Amino acid sequence: MGWLLTHGPARKALGLILAAAAILLFLLNLRRAGERAGRAAERFDARERNDAIHREMLDAAARRPSDRDALAERLRDGRF
């Protein structure tokens, strides 16, 4: 059987099969890399949204009145 793979047509067929397998593995790996990149982009977008929300919360906290008297004065002046 070993001598069969060393002769012309069988050797060519084996070479083509190996080349096709290498191309298939490359394409599968490329697809997985694309999926990983997509998930990373989604995580980045979610983190950007969360950071924006936290920034808004911190800005609102910085603008809040310091005590009840300051709140009452702010409400009397009409500044909400």
Side-chain angles (χ1 to χ4, degrees):
M1 178 87 177
W3 65 271
L4 184 64
L5 295 178
T6 60
H7 288 74
R11 191 172 174 179
K12 281 186 181 180
L14 182 62
L16 289 175
I17 290 171
L18 288 176
I23 291 171
L24 180 65
L25 288 174
F26 173 76
L27 291 175
L28 289 174
N29 189 34
L30 195 62
R31 180 176 169 220
R32 279 181 50 202
E35 289 172 354
R36 254 184 273 137
R39 285 193 300 270
E42 288 175 11
R43 280 194 307 270
F44 181 75
D45 289 342
R47 187 170 190 150
E48 288 280 319
R49 283 191 305 271
N50 287 341
D51 288 348
I53 290 168
H54 287 136
R55 258 192 313 276
E56 288 177 19
M57 291 169 56
L58 288 172
D59 288 344
R63 290 189 310 266
R64 76 173 187 222
S66 58
D67 58 6
R68 287 176 31 173
D69 293 334
L71 175 62
E73 185 175 330
R74 194 173 184 181
L75 290 174
R76 272 190 234 109
D77 293 342
R79 295 178 290 134
F80 295 89

